[in-house]
Amino acid sequence: MNFKVYRDDWGIPHLRAEGADGLAHAQGWNAAVDRAWQIEVERNRFQGTSASFLGASAAGWDRFARQARLDDTARRCYEALDDATAAWVRHYVAGVNAGMAEGARRAPQFAEVGLEPRPWEPWVPLGIWLGTHVLFAGFPTKIWREEVARALGDAAVELFSAEGADGSGSNGWLVGAGGTAHGAPLIAGDPHRPVEDPGVYQQIRLACDEFDVVG
């Protein structure tokens, strides 16, 4: 895949490719080069294998990830994708695999814990998304409600509910091109994430013949 990478004065990557598939490859490559340790840790976390190099303190999460079948869910989600989306994901994974060796050389943590990065399977990005966001979804609430019902009965569930009538969730908003000073639309959201280092999000510009976005 041919693509171009430019980093501005703040180190923000600007990626350019001819099409969306090439851009997916470029974005995967960039993620691996910039954040190899982070994304490889997250891969092991959703597969329930992080204690093998992070130690016993990670075993509780690994047990949860296996009991929740995050890896199996990611595989089944990938298999359910339409052909075009599955191909796009494969291009991203190919980019990660192309950049991982360079990224691992830049990250001293790999040598410190003796971790050798493995080639990604096509469903790994979906698994990382699941592992990163499972505790931000309704999953914990469903477990909690199940425990309340089991211990106190179905009638007690609402007594312990912290949700309004319409449930809860993250907030997002969209401003159309006619409402912005620069004439381009804006989309934003508030994902309620804790402070992390590094954070799960990376500022980046993605440009191809079809679109040119930054966020």
Side-chain angles (χ1 to χ4, degrees), residues 9-52:
D9 293 340
W10 293 275
I12 296 172
H14 298 244
L15 309 180
R16 174 80 199 189
E18 292 183 0
D21 286 345
L23 197 56
H25 183 98
Q27 189 175 8
W29 175 88
N30 180 81
V33 170
D34 279 5
R35 298 189 170 203
W37 171 250
Q38 180 187 19
I39 63 176
E40 191 65 0
V41 168
E42 293 299 336
R43 185 265 281 277
N44 280 274
R45 277 171 52 80
F46 93 81
Q47 292 182 334
T49 56
S50 59
S52 63

Side-chain angles (χ1 to χ4, degrees), residues 176-185:
T180 64
H182 46 63

Side-chain angles (χ1 to χ4, degrees), residues 94-152:
V96 170
N97 288 333
M100 184 59 78
E102 179 180 347
R105 287 194 296 271
R106 295 184 177 190
Q109 298 96 326
F110 284 93
E112 290 173 5
V113 301
L115 178 64
E116 290 287 339
R118 308 190 313 273
W120 280 23
E121 298 89 356
W123 58 85
V124 167
L126 283 72
I128 289 179
W129 192 93
L130 287 170
T132 302
H133 293 87
V134 64
L135 298 182
F136 287 85
F139 188 76
T141 301
K142 291 178 180 178
I143 295 176
W144 164 246
R145 291 166 69 92
E146 183 71 20
E147 288 300 313
V148 171
R150 181 181 295 113
L152 302 175

